[in-house]
């Protein structure tokens, strides 16, 4: 079902593939050796994947593009570095090897969220696997090539493209193609790499800002922490805390977000590096720097529309006055030309996804995808009728402290000090100010902007990530400086805050490593054989369908998890939860289709429903299990549109569409 060896091989391939290219690119655009190496994994991942994604639209497969692209960039970057080293003198000490090793170990915690756990009761999954149900997209890219065909929904005659920001999953697909890993294993490897690359980015920033290895060590340690909520609940009780604060959401620290949504974390890392590249583009406008900047922007957007789209646009507008003041005398025309070139390149690479998202937005209907509203912090009754007005200050004074203890207060003070003490005329001073502006925009966007596309406020949850990364690095720098003081009170308070945050981090780590055993655990252990039976009767291009609510108890919220992890085939409708992000359907039509499929697998399907599955939705292969209501009241058994192909007694039945079901579909309709 899952191979640790394949996961390890895929992670090693990504480490070699992206870090090597990222290092020579970092040196070529002006980063010193001490900064270029820790930034290399995230820089190489973003640039290489953005470039490979565009080439693969013409070539069709990720494997050749990944290999050839890596070699070309590494050779080109090495050639440029040897002939024009533009990095200023740098006395920063090199990152010690043991810190790379420490980051690699900490990065295992988010990766464990994807790995299945064998128990006596069956297979246990971590709660974060819910957000990794997009693994089906990785399998689709490996199986069908590029551009990807929507594996979640796409009946005949309707758009089959993917409007989701899928660059991160494309990177995982490269690892799968390169090593032969399955999508599930490649996702775990890519999750580890994203965690490792962003850890090294934050540690490298701390080292760069202070020239202190201790600062880098503290930064990695801070990433092991979590929210203060578990500690507060232990002290005051969950009920008492619930009277003051709203329940926890996806607005959380690095450890939680790396476990649940690594693609947003990767986009945040790209945005932080883009801010540093922008400063170098202003101080020394060059064609190579402009190209890297354009690819970084495109890669950030293709990984997360919220971080790489909304936050990036706002951050670059805020940075523009600082960048203009950084342009050397007489260099303004070159800088403006470089900016226009970078913007044109980013737009060119992002255009296919922009078009897909525009069409999907039109088909879904609705208004603006972004609205202005303070992040809800206080419980409804906590502040009487004025609670809405108090949410805004509570975000800055309460929520950020609760969710990012020590990182937010210590990082904010340290970042202010670093920006204020740095000479505005030096590169390091401009970098500190640029990172400070990025942090302010990131936190403000998270506190004021709301995404309206889905059921969750993904914009508010993810917009905080770039600022959080900068604050973590600044907090590490500040704590290192604090340790130089002879006093004991302030360091003691810092140690207490860190210990309190470790409780929340330990809860996340334990959940990722242990998983949750559900009532479906034993049945889930048999799922690989079940889906292997489906694949025997489903060619690579076939659409399959199963009960979208199958194994609903395996995840915190119902999602078609066994299909997503193991089917390696497209679905004609994978379920309402996955259709929210991937199906260009209005809320009303999506709900009606979901009800129809649930009705069929509950054993209440009509002849019209059978006709709709075969002709309207193009379901080529059907899986019915003993867990479905349709097992006892099987509507497929007597349907002229399907025939039984294989059965496992008391377990599952596989039906395939009959030749007559391939007739031209009638006008789509939903049976009431």
């Amino acid at each position: 079902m899952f191979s640790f060896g394949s996961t390890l091989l895929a992670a090693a391939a990504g480490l070699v593939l992206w870090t090597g290219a990222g290092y020579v690119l970092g040196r070529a655009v002006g980063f010193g050796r001490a900064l270029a190496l820790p930034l290399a994994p995230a820089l190489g991942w973003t640039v290489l994947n953005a470039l490979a994604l565009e080439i693969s639209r013409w070539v069709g497969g990720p494997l050749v593009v990944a290999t050839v692209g890596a070699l070309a960039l590494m050779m080109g970057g090495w050639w440029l570095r040897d002939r024009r080293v533009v990095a200023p003198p740098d006395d920063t000490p090199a990152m010690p090897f043991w810190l790379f090793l420490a980051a690699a170990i900490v990065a295992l915690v988010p990766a464990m969220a994807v790995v299945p756990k064998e128990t006596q009761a069956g297979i246990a999954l971590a709660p974060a696997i819910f957000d990794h149900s997009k693994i089906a997209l990785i399998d689709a890219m490996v199986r069908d090539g590029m551009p990807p065909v929507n594996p979640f929904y796409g009946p005949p005659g309707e758009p089959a493209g993917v409007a989701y920001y899928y660059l991160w999953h494309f990177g995982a697909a490269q690892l799968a193609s390169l090593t032969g890993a399955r999508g599930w294993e490649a996702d775990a490897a890519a999750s580890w790499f994203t965690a490792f690359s962003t850890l090294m980015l934050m540690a490298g920033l701390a080292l760069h800002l202070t020239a202190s290895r201790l600062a880098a060590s503290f930064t990695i340690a801070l990433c092991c922490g979590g929210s203060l909520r578990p500690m507060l609940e232990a002290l005051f009780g969950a009920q008492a805390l619930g009277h003051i604060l709203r329940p926890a959401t996806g607005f959380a620290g690095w450890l939680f977000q790396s476990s649940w949504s690594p693609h947003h974390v990767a986009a945040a890392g790209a945005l932080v590096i883009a801010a540093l590249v922008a400063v170098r583009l202003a101080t020394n406008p060059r064609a190579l720097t402009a190209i890297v900047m354009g690819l970084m922007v495109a890669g950030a957007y293709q990984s997360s529309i919220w971080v790489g789209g909304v936050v990036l646009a706002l951050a670059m507008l805020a940075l523009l006055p600082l960048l203009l003041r950084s342009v050397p005398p007489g260099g303004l025309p070159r800088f403006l030309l470089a900016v226009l070139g970078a913007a044109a390149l980013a737009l060119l690479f992002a255009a296919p996804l922009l078009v897909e998202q525009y069409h999907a937005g039109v088909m879904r209907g609705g208004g603006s995808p972004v609205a202005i509203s303070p992040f809800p912090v206080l419980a409804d009754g906590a502040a009487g009728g004025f609670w809405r007005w108090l949410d805004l200050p509570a975000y800055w004074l309460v929520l950020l402290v609760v969710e990012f203890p020590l990182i937010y207060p210590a990082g904010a003070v340290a970042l202010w000090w670093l920006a204020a003490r740095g000479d505005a005329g030096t590169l390091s001073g401009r970098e500190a100010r640029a990172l400070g502006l990025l942090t302010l925009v990131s936190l403000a966007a998270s506190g004021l902007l709301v995404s309206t596309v889905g059921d969750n406020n993904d914009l508010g949850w993810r917009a905080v990530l770039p600022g959080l990364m900068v604050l973590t690095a600044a907090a590490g720098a500040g704590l290192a400086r604090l340790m130089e003081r002879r006093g004991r009170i302030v360091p003691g308070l810092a140690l207490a805050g860190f210990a309190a945050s470790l409780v929340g981090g330990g809860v996340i780590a334990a959940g990722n490593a242990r998983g949750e055993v559900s009532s479906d655990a034993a049945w889930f252990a048999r799922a690989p054989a079940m889906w292997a039976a489906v694949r025997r009767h489903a060619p690579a291009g076939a659409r399959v369908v199963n009960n979208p609510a199958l194994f609903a108890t395996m995840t915190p919220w119902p999602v078609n998890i066994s299909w997503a992890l193991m089917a390696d085939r497209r679905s004609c409708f994978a379920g309402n939860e996955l259709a929210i992000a991937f199906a260009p359907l209005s809320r009303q039509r999506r709900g009606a289709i979901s009800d129809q499929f649930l009705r069929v697998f509950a054993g209440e399907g009509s002849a019209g429903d059978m006709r709709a599955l075969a002709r309207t939705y193009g379901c080529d292969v059907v899986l019915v299990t003993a867990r479905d209501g349709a097992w006892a009241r099987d509507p497929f058994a007597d349907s002229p549109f399907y025939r039984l192909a294989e059965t496992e007694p008391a377990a599952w039945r596989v039906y395939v569409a009959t030749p007559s079901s391939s007739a031209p579909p009638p006008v789509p309709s939903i049976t009431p």
Side-chain angles (χ1 to χ4, degrees):
M1 178 169 59
F2 186 94
S3 169
F4 285 96
S6 295
T7 303
L8 181 61
L9 181 61
L15 191 63
V16 173
L17 178 68
W18 294 317
T19 303
Y23 177 75
V24 293
L25 276 176
R27 294 289 291 135
V29 300
F31 293 129
R33 288 185 175 87
L35 183 60
L37 187 56
L39 262 60
L43 175 61
W45 182 92
T46 308
V47 171
L48 214 60
N49 277 302
L51 181 61
L53 179 60
E54 183 61 28
I55 297 175
S56 69
R57 298 183 191 279
W58 306 96
V59 176
L63 175 57
V64 175
V65 174
T67 306
V68 175
L71 291 175
L73 279 177
M74 292 176 67
M75 293 174 63
W78 190 270
W79 183 86
L80 287 167
R81 193 203 71 166
D82 282 350
R83 284 156 177 77
R84 190 191 300 181
V85 178
V86 296
D90 188 4
D91 296 329
T92 303
M95 184 82 70
F97 172 77
W98 68 267
L99 277 179
F100 286 92
L101 183 60
I105 294 173
V106 174
L108 292 174
V109 176
M112 283 301 297
V114 188
V115 176
K117 292 83 181 169
E118 295 187 12
T119 69
Q120 291 182 346
I123 298 297
L125 299 176
I129 199 68
F130 174 86
D131 261 7
H132 290 266
S133 53
K134 305 175 186 71
I135 285 171
L137 188 57
I138 300 173
D139 284 324
M141 293 178 182
V142 176
R143 183 180 63 249
D144 302 325
M146 296 293 295
V149 178
N150 195 329
F152 306 95
Y153 180 78
E158 296 194 24
V162 178
Y164 194 81
Y165 28 89
Y166 55 76
L167 184 69
W168 188 89
H169 303 89
F170 172 76
Q174 290 189 76
L175 298 182
S177 297
L178 190 63
T179 63
R182 301 169 184 169
W184 193 354
E185 297 151 357
D187 186 286
S191 297
W192 174 87
F193 181 86
T194 298
F196 172 77
S197 65
T198 49
L199 274 173
M200 294 314 305
L201 166 62
M202 290 182 280
L205 276 181
L207 182 67
H208 177 65
L209 292 172
T210 61
S212 168
R213 292 174 175 171
L214 187 61
S217 305
F218 283 150
T219 298
I220 294 178
L222 287 170
C223 290
C224 298
S227 172
L228 283 180
R229 288 178 187 268
M231 179 65 73
L232 294 175
E233 289 177 355
L235 292 175
F236 305 109
Q239 186 175 4
L241 187 63
H243 289 315
I244 301 174
L245 297 178
R246 287 178 180 262
T249 63
F251 183 90
W254 173 89
L255 193 62
F256 180 93
Q257 302 229 37
S258 295
S259 301
W260 283 76
S261 300
H263 51 299
H264 295 293
V265 176
L271 179 49
V272 172
I273 298 177
L276 299 177
V277 175
V279 173
R280 281 163 171 76
L281 186 64
T283 55
N284 185 15
R286 299 172 58 239
L288 177 63
T289 309
I291 291 172
V292 171
M293 183 68 187
L295 292 173
M296 293 295 298
V297 170
Y301 172 75
Q302 291 165 332
S303 299
S304 169
I305 187 177
W306 308 122
V307 176
V310 177
V311 180
L312 186 145
L314 295 174
M316 290 304 162
L317 286 175
L319 287 174
L320 188 58
L322 173 65
L323 298 178
L324 289 174
R325 290 197 301 270
S326 302
V327 177
L332 185 59
R334 290 178 56 206
F335 172 67
L336 294 178
L337 184 62
V339 169
L340 289 175
L345 183 64
L347 183 60
L348 176 66
F349 277 52
L353 182 57
L354 278 168
V355 172
E356 286 281 359
Q357 289 176 333
Y358 171 76
H359 288 304
V362 170
M363 296 183 70
R364 287 192 181 103
S368 170
V370 178
I372 299 177
S373 178
F375 196 101
V377 177
L378 302 174
D380 288 344
F386 297 98
W387 68 273
R388 289 185 179 275
W389 298 100
L390 293 177
D391 270 337
L392 188 57
Y395 169 80
W396 295 94
L397 300 176
V398 178
L399 184 64
L400 292 177
V401 176
V402 170
E403 297 300 340
F404 315 127
L406 191 59
I407 288 177
Y408 172 61
V413 172
L415 187 58
W416 178 272
W417 178 76
L418 288 167
R421 71 158 187 145
D423 185 355
T426 65
L427 183 62
S428 60
R430 297 188 190 103
E431 288 174 337
R433 286 166 171 78
L435 294 173
L437 286 171
L438 172 61
T439 301
L440 182 60
V441 169
S442 171
L443 299 184
S446 185
L448 291 172
L449 300 181
V450 178
S451 55
T452 62
V453 176
D455 295 339
N456 297 319
N457 179 20
D458 278 325
L459 172 56
W461 296 354
R462 315 309 177 192
V464 73
L465 281 167
L468 176 62
M469 288 185 181
V470 176
L471 285 175
T472 304
L479 291 174
R481 181 57 60 94
L482 192 63
M483 292 299 106
E484 299 175 0
R485 299 168 59 96
R486 295 185 178 181
R488 297 181 179 179
I489 296 179
V490 178
L493 291 174
L495 182 61
F498 175 65
S501 73
L502 284 181
V503 176
V507 171
I508 297 171
N512 288 356
R514 183 177 60 248
E516 294 185 359
V517 179
S518 80
S519 57
D520 286 331
W523 257 92
F524 195 82
R526 303 177 65 184
M530 178 178 70
W531 285 110
V534 172
R535 288 193 299 273
R536 282 195 292 271
H537 302 281
R543 295 182 181 90
V544 304
V545 66
N546 70 304
N547 183 358
L550 184 64
F551 298 119
T553 64
M554 294 292 295
T555 51
W557 305 276
V559 72
N560 198 350
I561 193 65
S562 71
W563 167 82
L565 299 179
M566 306 176 201
D568 194 15
R569 292 296 184 270
R570 296 171 60 194
S571 175
C572 47
F573 184 75
N576 182 67
E577 293 73 20
L578 291 168
I580 291 174
F582 290 95
L585 301 169
S586 66
R587 183 186 297 269
Q588 294 76 14
R589 185 166 181 239
R590 187 182 72 241
I593 295 174
S594 177
D595 291 342
Q596 185 176 24
F597 276 79
L598 291 174
R599 182 170 66 245
V600 167
F601 284 94
E604 301 169 0
S606 65
D609 291 329
M610 296 297 100
R611 182 184 298 107
L613 261 65
R615 295 188 175 182
T616 303
Y617 303 112
C619 302
D620 301 308
V621 180
V622 178
L623 171 66
V624 179
T625 74
R627 310 280 287 183
D628 303 326
W631 183 260
R633 302 181 302 275
D634 193 342
F636 299 95
D638 299 324
S639 172
F641 299 100
Y642 291 97
R643 64 172 179 82
L644 183 65
E646 183 177 337
T647 183
E648 178 72 15
W652 62 78
R653 300 176 187 138
V654 178
Y655 291 91
V656 297
T658 59
S660 61
S661 66
S662 61
V667 177
S669 61
I670 305 298
T671 302

